Amino acid sequence: MFSAKSLVKSFDAFRALGPLSFSFGTEHVLGVVGPSGCGKSTLLRLIAGLEAITWGTMELDGDPVTGARSDIAVVFQEPRLLPWASVRDNVGLGLWHLPRAQRQEAVDAALRRVNLFDFADALPKQLSGGMAQRVGIARALVAKPRLLLLDEPFAALDPLTRVKMQDHLLDIVGDEVPNVLLITHDIEEALVLSDRIIVLDGPPARIVRDIAIDLPKPRHRTGAPFQAHKAEILETLFGAADLAA
Amino acid sequence: MSDQAIAIDKRSGQFNGALLERLRRLGIALILPASIIAAWHLTAVSGRVPAYLLPQPLEVLNWLVRLVSTGELQRHLSTSIARAGIGFALGVSAATVLGVLTGYLLGWRRVVDPTIHALRTIPGLAWSPMFILWFGIGESSKYALIALVTFFPVYLNTMAGVAGVDRKLIEVGRVNRLSGLRMMTRILLPASLPSYFVGLRQSMGIAWIVLVAAELMGASSGIGFLLLDGQMTGRPALVMACMIIFALCGKITDIAISTIARHVLAWQDTLHTGE
C-alpha cells in the first residue's frame, strides 16, 4: 500500500506538483497519464527519492518514504545501463550489500525472467534497444521490490517492440511485485496495463480524473470498452469540443 | 565440418584478414618516412651540402650502433627513462587525486580550481630556476619539473571527466543507493576513464619534451645531455641519433598508453575506438 499526502514539489518559485494526495494498493498497476510537462515525471522522481519533497509525506506499507530505498525500484525511459559493465553487473548493481553467491543467484533469476540469461556476459553496446530495456527491467526486479516505478518505459522503443513489451510486461513482472506505478503519455499503454488510471494536468500537477479499469487481462486494444475508456481519458485531457473539431 | 569448427575457421580467417590489413596500413604509413630518408641520403652523398650541416643517414645509424655496443645508450637512456617515469608518476598521481576531488566536490572546486588554472599559465620551464634553487641541480629538480608539467593535462581531463559524468547514470547509482566511495568506483571513475586517458597521453608527450629541456639545462647524463654533447663537440650525426631516440621513446610510450586505453575502454560504443 502506497500513499502520498499533500505532496508538493517546487523548484524555487516554480511549483511543479501538488498539493496532490492519492493512495493505491489493492490495484496491481496504477497508470498515471497526462500531457508532457504536466509534472508526472516529477511525481515519479519524488517517490524514487531523486528529488526532495518540498511539502507533504509519502508512505509505503506504513514506512515513511524519504529517499531511495531498496524496496522501490525504477525503470527509466532509457535503459540507462552502465556501458562499461556486463549485463550481469548492471543487473546486480543494487545488490552490493549481498554476498557474492546470493547476488549471482538473484541476478541469474532476474535475467531468466527477461529471457536474457544467455547474454549475461555481453556488454550493453552489443544489445538491441528492446534487449537493453529488458536488462533495465531485470535490474529493477532483481531486489524483489514492493513498488516498481516505470517512467515511460517503452517510449524509446520502436512501435512493434513497444507493443510486444507492453504485452509481456505483466508476465515478466508477475505477482511478486505487489504494486506497479506506470507513468506514461501513451494512453493505450496505460489502458493495456493498468487496473486504475489517474489523469494528471498541470503544472503544477494535480489529479483531474481517477478511473478504475475493470477490463479482463490480457486486453484487446480494439475492443469497444477499451476504446470507450480511451475516449473518456482523451475528453478529460482535451475537452469534448476540441476532440470533435 | 561441425558448426564449431566452421566458426573457428571463420575466426582465424578474419584474424588473417585483420593482420593483412594492419600490414597494409603500416606499409602506407611508411611510404613518407622512407621517401624522406632516401632524399636525405641522396642529398648527403651528392656532396652539395657539407657533412657538418647534414650527416648521412648511415652515419647516424652508425652512431646508434656504436652507442648501443658501448653500452652508452643504455646508461643514458635508463637515466632519462627514470626521470621521465618518476616525474610522470608523481605528477599523474597528484593530478588524479586532485582531479577526482575537484570534479566531484563543487565546493572544493571553487576553492582549488582557479588557483590551479592560474598556475597553469606559467610556462613549465619557467619553474626550473626555482626548482634548481629548491631541490638542487641533481635528480630531484628534474623529477619536480616533469611532475609539474605532467600534472596539468591529467588534472584538467580528470576533473572534466568526473564533472561531466552523465546525470542519468548518477541517478541510476542513486536509486540503487550507491554513495561515496561506491558511487565513485562503480560509476564516476569508469565513466571518466576515456577523458582520463586523453590526459595521460598529453602528459606523456609533454614529459618527453620537458625532459630534453631539463637535461639541456644542467645534467651530466641522459639522452638530452648526449645531444648537447654532440652539439658542443660538433658531431651532428650524434645529435640526430639522439633525436631519433627521443622520437622512438615518445612513440613507444604513446603506443603503450593507447594500447592500454583500447583494452580498458573496449566497452565504448564509438566509431573507430582507439584510432
Side-chain angles (χ1 to χ4, degrees):
Chain A
M1 176 74 153
F2 173 85
S3 67
K5 284 197 192 88
S6 319
L7 214 53
V8 173
K9 176 63 188 177
S10 299
F11 298 95
D12 299 319
F14 171 72
R15 178 177 286 191
L17 179 140
L20 192 149
S21 300
F22 70 97
S23 64
F24 85 109
T26 49
E27 315 88 346
H28 186 203
V29 181
L30 174 70
V32 178
V33 299
S36 65
C38 76
K40 53 189 192 303
S41 280
T42 304
L43 174 64
L44 180 133
R45 293 173 62 79
L46 290 175
I47 303 172
L50 288 172
E51 301 282 357
I53 304 171
T54 307
W55 185 259
T57 55
M58 295 183 291
E59 276 181 7
L60 179 62
D61 297 334
D63 305 329
V65 177
T66 51
R69 19 192 304 169
S70 61
D71 51 7
I72 298 182
V74 189
V75 175
F76 295 100
Q77 183 172 347
E78 327 78 20
R80 297 202 188 183
L81 304 182
L82 308 180
W84 52 83
S86 65
V87 165
R88 180 189 301 285
D89 290 344
N90 266 291
V91 173
L93 186 69
L95 299 182
W96 43 267
H97 54 286
L98 292 183
R100 199 187 174 81
Q102 248 174 293
R103 186 167 63 220
Q104 175 114 5
E105 203 177 305
V107 169
D108 287 354
L111 281 175
R112 284 209 180 83
R113 199 147 212 181
V114 296
N115 208 8
L116 283 174
F117 182 70
D118 294 339
F119 291 86
D121 297 313
L123 283 170
K125 70 173 180 181
Q126 295 164 295
L127 306 176
S128 70
M131 287 160 84
Q133 192 56 303
R134 269 147 65 202
V135 175
I137 293 172
R139 178 172 62 194
L141 291 178
V142 73
K144 298 195 169 45
R146 285 192 282 175
L147 174 59
L148 176 65
L149 306 173
L150 305 171
D151 186 10
E152 315 222 6
F154 310 129
L157 302 176
D158 66 272
L160 285 179
T161 313
R162 191 184 310 152
V163 169
K164 222 162 112 185
M165 294 279 283
Q166 285 166 355
D167 288 346
H168 288 297
L169 181 76
L170 292 179
D171 300 332
I172 294 173
V173 172
D175 297 329
E176 239 176 274
V177 181
N179 290 125
V180 179
L181 188 138
L182 167 72
I183 302 262
T184 181
H185 57 217
D186 182 342
I187 294 167
E188 282 207 3
E189 179 170 287
L191 280 169
V192 168
L193 296 168
S194 313
D195 302 297
R196 177 183 151 201
I197 292 177
I198 55 179
V199 183
L200 298 187
D201 201 4
R206 60 183 198 283
I207 298 173
V208 291
R209 198 76 185 257
D210 192 333
I211 311 164
I213 311 293
D214 281 329
L215 306 176
K217 292 183 189 174
R219 290 179 182 150
H220 300 290
R221 291 173 174 77
T222 47
F226 188 97
Q227 291 299 329
H229 276 305
K230 187 175 172 181
E232 185 183 355
I233 294 171
L234 283 171
E235 276 171 30
T236 308
L237 285 172
F238 301 107
D242 285 355
L243 281 180
Chain B
M1 209 189 270
S2 72
D3 282 357
Q4 211 176 358
I6 291 170
I8 289 169
D9 196 53
K10 225 174 174 178
R11 215 178 309 150
S12 71
Q14 279 171 359
F15 179 73
N16 282 336
L19 193 69
L20 270 175
E21 174 60 24
R22 286 181 72 162
L23 283 174
R24 202 176 65 88
R25 264 193 265 169
L26 186 69
I28 292 173
L30 283 175
I31 292 173
L32 193 57
S35 318
I36 292 172
I37 291 173
W40 170 17
H41 176 76
L42 291 175
T43 315
V45 294
S46 71
R48 261 175 293 181
V49 181
Y52 67 87
L53 289 182
L54 187 68
Q56 288 184 23
L58 283 174
E59 203 189 331
V60 175
L61 185 66
N62 204 12
W63 258 111
L64 283 172
V65 172
R66 199 185 313 169
L67 287 173
V68 173
S69 60
T70 57
E72 236 182 317
L73 178 78
Q74 291 85 323
R75 189 165 62 81
H76 288 293
L77 190 59
S78 57
T79 312
S80 289
I81 289 174
R83 284 171 186 152
I86 291 171
F88 181 76
L90 289 172
V92 166
S93 318
T96 307
V97 173
L98 260 153
V100 168
L101 281 176
T102 42
Y104 189 48
L105 306 170
L106 190 62
W108 178 257
R109 192 186 316 166
R110 285 177 181 153
V111 173
V112 173
D113 199 45
T115 309
I116 293 182
H117 274 276
L119 289 175
R120 193 170 69 95
T121 58
I122 302 172
L125 290 175
W127 286 91
S128 121
M130 294 318 290
F131 280 171
I132 290 172
L133 197 63
W134 294 336
F135 303 114
I137 191 82
E139 297 303 291
S140 309
S141 58
K142 295 178 183 64
Y143 298 157
L145 189 62
I146 292 167
L148 182 88
V149 296
T150 52
F151 173 87
F152 294 110
V154 174
Y155 167 81
L156 291 173
N157 283 288
T158 308
M159 186 192 70
V162 172
V165 175
D166 189 354
R167 179 185 55 78
K168 292 178 171 177
L169 292 184
I170 294 176
E171 284 181 359
V172 168
R174 284 175 57 202
V175 298
N176 285 290
R177 302 164 326 286
L178 307 186
S179 57
L181 197 63
R182 207 168 270 121
M183 179 73 95
M184 192 65 93
T185 54
R186 299 283 169 88
I187 294 186
L188 296 176
L189 291 184
S192 54
L193 272 181
S195 97
Y196 183 65
F197 273 104
V198 172
L200 283 184
R201 276 179 88 169
Q202 287 177 359
S203 281
M204 198 69 236
I206 294 176
W208 288 111
I209 293 169
V210 173
L211 176 77
V212 186
E215 288 182 341
L216 285 177
M217 279 193 289
S220 53
S221 62
I223 303 296
F225 163 77
L226 203 59
L227 187 143
L228 190 67
D229 192 45
Q231 186 197 356
M232 296 299 189
T233 54
R235 290 178 290 187
L238 174 57
V239 172
M240 295 193 87
C242 291
M243 290 164 64
I244 289 172
I245 293 165
F246 274 126
L248 288 176
C249 287
K251 190 67 194 166
I252 288 168
T253 46
D254 192 58
I255 288 176
I257 292 177
S258 58
T259 305
I260 294 170
R262 198 163 51 240
H263 284 95
V264 174
L265 304 178
W267 50 267
Q268 280 189 304
D269 194 5
T270 49
L271 191 66
H272 307 313
T273 306
E275 281 224 13

